[in-house]
Amino acid sequence: MNWRAVLSLFSAFAIVAAGAPTGEPMFRVSTPRGITFTLQNSPTPQKYLIETMPGGVALLDYNKDGLLDIFLVNAGHIAPGRAKLDSFDRANPTYWNRLYRQNKDGSFTDVTEQAGLAKAGDANFGMGVAVGDYDNDGYPDLYVTSYGKNVLYHNNGDGTFTDVTEKAGVAAGGWSTSAGFFDYDNDGKLDLLVTRYLDWTMAKSKVCGAQQPTYCPPEDFGATTSILYHNRGDGTFEDVSVKSGIASVKGHGLGVAFADYDGDGFTDVYIANDVTRQFLFHNNGDGTFREVGVDSGSALTVDGDMISGMGVVFQDYDNDGRPDLVITELPRQPYVAFHNDGRGLFSDQSLEAGFGTLSGAVSGWGVGLEDFDNDGWKDLFVAQGHVFDNVQSYDGGLRYLEPPLFALNRAGRFEKADAGTSEPMSGRGAAFGDTNNDGWMDVIVTRLGGTPLLFENRSASAAKSHWLGIQLEGVKSNRDGLGARVDVNGQTRFAATSGSYLSASDPRLHFGLGDKSHADVEIHWPSGVHQKLSLDAVDRYVAVKEDTNP
Amino acid sequence: MTLAARRAGAIALFAFAACGCASVAQAQQEQATSSAPPDAVNHLLTGTQLESRNDLDGAIREFTEATRLAPSYDIAYLDLGDAYMRRRDYASALVPLKKAVELNPDSTSAQRMLGFALLAQGYAADAIPPLDRANERGALGIAQLETGDYANAVANLQAALAKTPNDPDLLFYLSRASEALSSQSIDALLSAHPDSPRAHQVAGQHFFSTKEMEKSEHEYEIALKLRPDLPNLRMELAEVYASTSEWPKAEELLRDEVKLQPGNAEAAYRLGDALMHQGKMREAAAEFERSDKLRPDMPETLYALGKSTLLSDPVLAEKSLTHVLDLEKDTPLAAQTYQLLATLHRRQGKSELAAQETKEFQRIQSLSHAPSQQ
């Protein structure tokens, strides 16, 4: 074989590995047909910090038609000089959150009003969204966070939602950011964790920067606690923040992710904090948590530096069966990979994972570890853009608008790949899922002042790799199966809709199988049930109901 | 600088120097050019009262009437100019302030106010004489910055800062003036010696310090073309790439620098750093060890050696980090070293030792407000 032949083989391999049609990037990037939503963050010269932090996006199948729908959180209108500064004009349709139902042809229809999701509550500046079936009726419910009050929308199962916040007792208050449903006491009912950012109000707001006005750093405001709501099972929740220990420490919470990192059968909580140490709440299994960030090695970088934690994902990136942490943050430090070393310990392996080259001069928000090329290794996608809209005026090495980061996982080390666009944007939220059920993971990203972008994975037509999607149905466990550990052919995923930044992802568990057309599946349900399956037919979604008589 | 920025500067200094009423009160204590008739004085008093209630339109009306009744009384014009200044109507302020100066050229307040108004309107060159006569060094420095007289601008802004240290506006303009002066000097150097690699190197350094990375890179590349054998050029350009996380480019340059200067410990250290940032820990550790041999007992090198061998060679890591603590006490680097040792010992199951090191890390952090904050 001559060198030309070797090179041609090499390039053929590269195309297959990337999984996209020949010569084209993996993703086609566009605003999905039918979606007209614009994230209205209302930037002002007064630099209210809330302006730059929204907004979340959720991928969920709210009407159970088998197609993922999209829920987008809007922010609100800030009108400096107006007497009631914090009304945010949410009754105005421009500032509504929006639910888009996916049609069979892949387009979307705005069903916000008919679903009962119009408006968003007076004095709420929208932030994020969590998705989970808290009443186990088989339909995903929505929890929308805000600066102001949060709203829990119960899915009625007929295409409509009802605001049940007051009855449920989950309005929170203050400045809530990411939230997530999980079952911390394994009682089969989803509980709710809400992170909060700062002890901040519009009245407390100030402008920083002598000649270049900028948003003030979080250190200029007080820290605050996260909230844990325990699901009583009767449609109401109890605030157990204090008695559970979640409120034992104050931080600047922006991201939250869940996984059982030490294999004790109870789901633990990781909170990404902005410029304070990160929190890892170990679930003691008795309804309480102990914050073990420092002791576990997951609170600070290897050099002992604080992390400007924004988004976080808690999944296994090196296929050793233990969930690792990837945290996005501001520039001048790489994104952080806390590798789970076992025995309850983590080590900062950001540089070993390749993040030193991928991320030192960018700012990351929404983040996911998904196997986009179905090769059996979870890849990395990050929505990017700096906090300050004028950062370039005082630091020529930084940019406000940045293209997203896409990196392929090569046996635990990430290498930059083509994200499908080099267009700079103010990316924030990111949700991950298979929007067209072709077995190849897609991403939807929100942009400040812009429409959302769908990164549609087009690999199905060209790639040979196999895949498997698993939809869990808990019986003794919570209906969504959130918190379950699922192993497939040596890969592990922890069932969750939360993670990323302010966003909620497809609840189905997706596994790339490479050239394997057989799947050995093991499911460790939160209830303790251990279930095994052997599947000879792959490249499909399978629904797995919890076996209560294994 | 834009007109808006100039206005902002003048406004800031206007507020900083003294508010209009203080200037006028001071002027009233200065000898006036003539006495005013009682009617004019009444209008001045009424105008002052209205001004204090923020009724600027009313005050302007009263002061205008006073100038009509006492056309040679400079204080009336000064009051009128002051009221316009407060309304940020600098164009209208110019006429009465010029008249006040004409009537009483020795009035420092009138000169100062006129200088501010001219500067705010963008007439920087015209603002210089009155500001100079009023000895208003801060605003004078801004006006000189605007007219390209950077050396005098720096001198005057420094003099103003000596009176009000840490004033953010003055610091901002001093920084701008210094940058401009530096840039001017570099331009002169490049113009006189376009083929001087040193000139391009200095320009590269200048743009790096002002965070203009593309320009910095460009200048260093020219310098390199002119003198590829000049020591440290690649190291400096590598620093530009490092600041934007372009580590592979930095590595390439540093490999050449190391060939050029095989005995340079810093070059070896920086190459190790570039390798470490790419996760090439073994290669990085080799460079750090080489750097340590060339120049022993450098705490940063020992720390980096410990960090790069933390997972692969815990014995060497512990030895290097312990050595750092022999050299550094209660410094940010010592804190970081304790943190790294705690990580190492936790991995080895020595949890008590790790806990002690974590405590030391936290203790030193509390002294120095955390190491290497962004």
Side-chain angles (χ1 to χ4, degrees), chain A residues 230-242:
Chain A
H230 177 249
N231 188 340
R232 294 191 182 103
D234 60 358
T236 70
F237 289 77
E238 178 190 2
D239 183 342
V240 295
S241 313
V242 173

Side-chain angles (χ1 to χ4, degrees), chain B residues 13 81 97 104 113 116 124 126 155 165 203 206 219 249 262 277 294 305 332 336:
Chain B
L13 281 173
L97 291 173
N104 187 0
M113 298 272 283
F116 285 149
D126 295 337
H206 167 72
E219 292 297 337
K249 284 184 179 176
H277 272 88
L294 289 167
L305 180 57
Q336 287 179 295

Side-chain angles (χ1 to χ4, degrees), chain A residues 211 303 305 332 341 360 413, chain B residues 169 245 278 303 307 347 371:
Chain A
Q211 293 294 329
D303 296 314
D305 288 334
R332 303 293 179 231
D341 299 336
R413 184 177 166 83
Chain B
D169 293 306
S245 293
Q278 296 172 79
Y303 177 82
K307 184 174 165 181
R347 289 175 64 85

Side-chain angles (χ1 to χ4, degrees), chain B residues 140-157:
Chain B
L140 179 58
I142 294 174
Q144 288 164 331
L145 170 62
E146 285 309 305
T147 53
D149 184 2
Y150 304 129
N152 280 320
V154 168
N156 279 310
L157 287 163

Side-chain angles (χ1 to χ4, degrees), chain A residues 317-334:
Chain A
Y317 72 75
D318 64 344
N319 289 345
D320 65 357
R322 293 186 289 262
D324 311 298
L325 288 154
V326 171
I327 303 155
T328 55
E329 67 158 328
L330 291 181
R332 303 293 179 231
Q333 282 195 336

